[in-house]
Structures are given as C-alpha cells and as structure tokens.
Amino acid sequence: MKNLLLLFCLFLNMASSCQSDGDKNNGEQTNGLEKVTYAVSNEVFTNPERGFMHTWQVNSEGAAITTASLSNLKKENVSLILRLYYLEKFKTTPLSQTQLDLIKTDFTRLREAGLKCVLRFAYTDAQDGSDASVAVISGHLDQLKPILEENKDVIAFVQAGFVGAWGEWYYTTNQLTTPANKKLILDKLLESFPKEVKIQVRTPKIKQDFVATTTAMDATVGYGTSNTARLGFHNDCFMASVDDYGTYTNVTADKTYISNEALYVPTGGETCPPTNVPIASCSIAETEMTLLKWTYLNLDYYGPVLQEWRNNNCFTDFERKLGYRLSVASSSIKKEVALNSSLEFNALINNSGFAPVYNPKNAFLILRATTGGTLYKKKLNFDVRKVVPKVTFDLKESVSLSGVPAGTYELLLKIEDSSSKLADRPDYCIRFANTGTWEAATGFNKLSQTVIIK
C-alpha cells in the first residue's frame, strides 16, 4: 500500500509539472540561474508617443483643449493627438498674448491627462490661401521658443508646418519653398525647438537637400542630437497614389531611404483619397507600414481607408503594431547573491511593432522587498531605442546592489519618460506586451523573478 501511495504522489507531481498555460509566465532553474519565460499578450493598450491619433485643429485665439475631451481618448487607447494651430490672424503681426496663452493651456492639460501631442503650425487651410513671410515665421518662433522649451516633455514630435496650405510645404504665397527659404525655415525650426524634439518634414527630398546627401544616416549619427538626427518625415497622402501625391521623387530609392532613416527618426501622418491606385488593402498597408516603420496615423482622415481595414479585420492589428510593441521573451538571474555585490541581469526583448521607440527613456531595474514593499531603483544602461523591429535585443547588465540590505526582493522593469516632470507618471511609462506583467498603478513591468540578498 505504501508503494502504491508513493507512485500515486509521483504521478500527481509529474502531471502538475507537465501542465502548461499559454497565458502564464514560467520559470526554471539551470546552473544556479533562475530563467523565466514570458507569454506574449495580444491585448490592445496605450503606450506613449505611438499609435492611432486624433487631429484637433484650432483657429487663432480659439478654444483650448478640454479636460473632458482628453479623458475620452483613454477609452480609445489613444495617447497622442495632432494639435494643429492655425495662425491666420497673425500673417503680418506678432502672436498675441491670447494665442500664446492658448498654447500654454493646451500643454498643461495634455500633461494633466497623461498624453502628448504631435505639433504643427500653419497660416491657412486653403490651397489659394496666403501664408506668412520668412521674417514673420522667424518672429513667431522666437515668441514660441520659451513655451516650447518649458513644455518639451509633452511634445512627442513636431511636423515642420508654417509653409503653405495646412503647413504642408507645397502651396505658398511667399516663395517659402525656394531652396534658400526652406533652409532658412528649417534652420530656425531646429534652433527654436529644444534639441530633444524631432522635427518631421513633408518629403524625403526636403531633408536630403538640407543635409546635402541622399545617404541615410547610421547609428553613430542617428542616436545623437545633430540636425541630421532630428529630422524625420510625415506623409499626409500615405498610400494614395504611386508617388503618394508627390511625396516621393524616386519611389523605390526614397522608400528605402526612409526605411533606413526610420531606425532613428519617426514617420507618421495620414491617408487621403486614392488616385489611380486601389484603396489600400490590409496587406498593402501592412507591407508599407512595416517598410517605412510607421509610428502614428490619423484616425480622422481618410475615413474610407480606415473603414476598409475595419471591414477586413486588420484595424485592431494595426492598433497593436503602430509604433513600438515591446515584449520580454525571457529573463535570467542568479537566485542568491551576496550583500553589496552585483546582480547579473539578462533579458531577451522583442519588438513586434512597426517602429522603434524614438525619444530617449530612462530604464531601471526595481527591487521591491517582498516584506514591507520598500523599493530600490537601479539605473540601467539599457537604451530602449535600440530595440528595433524583428530583431531580438539581448539585454545584459551588471547591476550594483550597493545600498540594498539583505532580504528577498521581487524584480520589476521600469522604462520611464526622460523628463523629471513625467518620470513618476505611469501614463508615460512603457508597458510591455506580456501577460500579467503590467502594474498600472506604478508603471512597472513585473518580471516574476525574486532574488535573495545574503
């Protein structure tokens, strides 16, 4: 009977160890290392500076964004808006204090709501409308500069704007699209916006002319803050004709150029009514957004294209994939370490989104005491921008445990905004696409790992 009982217990243990659940994270010990593998989540959720966005435009001295309208965006998993300011009252005069206060109020309310904006300024929304002179644009940027510096934390990206109808750098009544004037305006934009902010131009040729090369930058330039490293692209007629309404000069070469550049600078924009091409199917859109590394897309235009994706069940997939979508595949640590030593932390991280993260973030390994919950925050060298699509990133760090007392700690990973104003705000932390790892109250990603410091 005793033998039968032992066999029965052994059977139960084997059955239990063989069970697996695709929704759970699993651990195993090998050579003194605790390795945990993580389940990937298909949930649609918000993350900073990416995804579908709404376009909210406002005329000169108009109404500020309301807190209620911003709160409603959370229900749509929207973390971005394009805020387009029309300055039609100020084509020949300085901006009024009322206009400047409007912009400041908008930034304050965005920050309170946990959101960011893509920013654009323009003087007209009509093809035959007039814009301002270079001198007036320069003066307006001088007025805006201190506001932009103060609120750079909630500016995700900037579309160059100012020139022609809608600020799209085509129609102009002040010869703003001559090579000399384009250079003057870009120089002024780069000077006026904080160096941390990336500026998107309307076509690849605009950047190529400005930097005087058609060769895409590499990582040595791309992760810096030079003018070259700050210029990205926005396309407001995405997939709408063979050359996207003049976006491309040499379609194949220009797309390859953007694809290579977009490892470091953002692409985004909107669709528009197609001409001489079919409406963009799910497969076409997937191919294009993968190639060009799209990070955001307007939800408000062009409706029939978006409806095509909804009708064919790929809209939700694009909600997941626009911009970055990071997940942890596995992590490994030594289960027990000595007091005042270092913890060797290894993790494999994937990006199933169309694009990388573009703005620098601060990454921390959090040790949280299992008794009492005391936190110890250890800065990592990890640069999340380097987790590029479809390439597994091998994170290896030696984390000093100096100052951490003996005890048992759970490990968590936090990737927070680089701005001290936003660092403690969970809305601005990056959430990993894993099952059961996200802590909404803290902005931490749980690693299902514990370490014992002796």
Side-chain angles (χ1 to χ4, degrees):
M1 178 62 73
K2 184 177 179 182
N3 289 337
L4 285 174
L5 185 60
L6 287 171
L7 285 170
F8 181 65
C9 291
L10 181 61
F11 172 79
L12 286 178
N13 286 335
M14 289 177 63
S16 173
S17 66
C18 289
Q19 286 176 351
S20 70
D21 184 342
D23 293 333
K24 293 183 178 179
N25 304 318
N26 298 300
E28 61 183 49
Q29 283 199 28
T30 307
N31 297 326
L33 292 179
E34 176 80 10
K35 180 180 180 181
V36 175
T37 57
Y38 303 91
V40 174
S41 168
N42 282 323
E43 184 181 350
V44 173
F45 54 82
T46 57
N47 253 327
E49 303 161 2
R50 56 149 300 277
F52 281 109
M53 68 177 190
H54 284 292
T55 296
W56 290 351
Q57 62 188 52
V58 59
N59 290 100
S60 300
E61 301 178 332
I65 300 167
T66 66
T67 301
S69 63
L70 291 171
S71 296
N72 287 333
L73 295 180
K74 297 284 182 73
K75 301 169 188 174
E76 298 182 70
N77 291 304
V78 168
S79 67
L80 268 182
I81 63 164
L82 172 65
R83 190 54 164 164
L84 173 51
Y85 293 98
Y86 282 108
L87 307 175
E88 76 282 355
K89 288 185 180 179
F90 309 107
K91 294 176 184 178
T92 59
T93 61
L95 302 175
S96 67
Q97 190 59 48
T98 300
Q99 179 65 37
L100 297 173
D101 288 343
L102 161 64
I103 296 167
K104 287 191 277 190
T105 299
D106 280 350
F107 284 142
T108 298
R109 290 182 180 171
L110 280 165
R111 188 179 297 106
E112 289 170 349
L115 302 166
K116 294 197 180 190
C117 69
V118 177
L119 192 60
R120 190 200 294 188
F121 297 92
Y123 295 98
T124 180
D125 62 357
Q127 288 185 17
D128 58 354
S130 60
D131 47 24
S133 67
V134 171
V136 168
I137 293 170
S138 181
H140 288 169
L141 283 166
D142 286 337
Q143 288 182 276
L144 290 166
K145 185 173 182 177
I147 299 173
L148 301 172
E149 176 62 36
E150 176 66 21
N151 295 283
K152 62 189 177 185
D153 57 321
V154 289
I155 302 172
F157 314 110
V158 176
Q159 296 179 352
F162 289 101
V163 176
W166 313 289
E168 284 194 28
W169 286 56
Y170 189 74
Y171 307 97
T172 175
T173 56
N174 280 280
Q175 297 185 316
L176 300 181
T177 54
T178 65
N181 281 340
K182 282 192 287 189
K183 185 178 187 313
L184 284 172
I185 294 166
L186 275 180
D187 278 333
K188 189 65 180 181
L189 284 165
L190 289 161
E191 172 206 322
S192 302
F193 279 91
K195 64 178 173 51
E196 298 92 339
V197 176
K198 296 185 187 296
I199 297 169
Q200 297 174 284
V201 295
R202 181 60 186 83
T203 70
K205 190 174 190 308
I206 292 172
K207 176 169 183 176
Q208 290 169 345
D209 288 348
F210 182 76
V211 300
T213 181
T214 58
T215 301
M217 63 184 154
D218 61 15
T220 59
V221 174
Y223 292 121
T225 56
S226 67
N227 287 347
T228 300
R230 291 178 60 198
L231 292 178
F233 313 94
H234 72 97
N235 181 348
D236 285 356
C237 267
F238 187 43
M239 301 180 294
S241 73
V242 172
D243 64 356
D244 284 357
Y245 283 51
T247 298
Y248 307 117
T249 303
N250 180 322
V251 176
T252 301
D254 286 351
K255 286 184 178 181
T256 300
Y257 172 78
I258 290 178
S259 181
N260 292 330
E261 288 262 311
L263 289 167
Y264 318 106
V265 291
T267 57
E270 66 186 19
T271 58
C272 69
T275 299
N276 298 323
V277 295
I279 199 163
S281 66
C282 288
S283 61
I284 288 173
E286 172 93 16
T287 298
E288 287 291 291
M289 288 193 279
T290 298
L291 173 66
L292 301 173
K293 301 178 177 65
W294 269 59
T295 207
Y296 65 80
L297 186 66
N298 185 11
L299 267 173
D300 301 316
Y301 195 78
Y302 173 63
V305 174
L306 300 174
Q307 194 58 47
E308 170 79 7
W309 301 341
R310 291 187 180 99
N311 292 344
N312 291 281
N313 301 315
C314 61
F315 182 86
T316 301
D317 194 42
F318 295 160
E319 283 187 291
R320 297 186 193 98
K321 290 181 177 178
L322 275 165
Y324 59 88
R325 187 175 176 89
L326 309 184
S327 60
V328 186
S330 66
S331 69
S332 299
I333 61 164
K334 192 174 180 181
K335 193 69 178 174
E336 296 183 359
V337 292
L339 188 66
N340 292 322
S341 65
S342 294
L343 175 67
E344 303 304 318
F345 175 65
N346 297 341
L348 298 179
I349 301 175
N350 292 316
N351 183 353
S352 60
F354 293 133
V357 176
Y358 290 109
N359 292 325
K361 308 290 179 184
N362 292 325
F364 296 89
L365 187 66
I366 308 291
L367 290 87
R368 184 164 62 193
T370 57
T371 301
T374 304
L375 296 177
Y376 297 90
K377 192 175 178 182
K378 295 295 183 176
K379 182 81 162 58
L380 300 176
N381 294 317
F382 175 40
D383 186 345
V384 72
R385 297 176 299 170
K386 296 181 180 180
V387 186
V388 299
K390 302 185 186 307
V391 179
T392 298
F393 185 91
D394 190 359
L395 172 61
K396 293 183 178 181
E397 299 242 3
S398 182
V399 182
S400 170
L401 298 177
S402 174
V404 184
T408 303
Y409 298 87
E410 61 175 320
L411 299 183
L412 309 99
L413 191 59
K414 186 186 185 192
I415 302 174
E416 65 184 32
D417 201 278
S418 59
S419 166
S420 59
K421 295 179 186 177
L422 307 181
D424 293 329
R425 300 276 303 276
D427 284 335
Y428 294 106
C429 294
I430 290 179
R431 174 179 175 177
F432 279 44
N434 292 104
T435 300
T437 56
W438 178 243
E439 285 192 353
T442 61
F444 300 165
N445 295 279
K446 294 183 288 187
L447 294 171
S448 300
Q449 293 271 28
T450 56
V451 63
I452 301 169
I453 301 177
K454 291 186 171 182

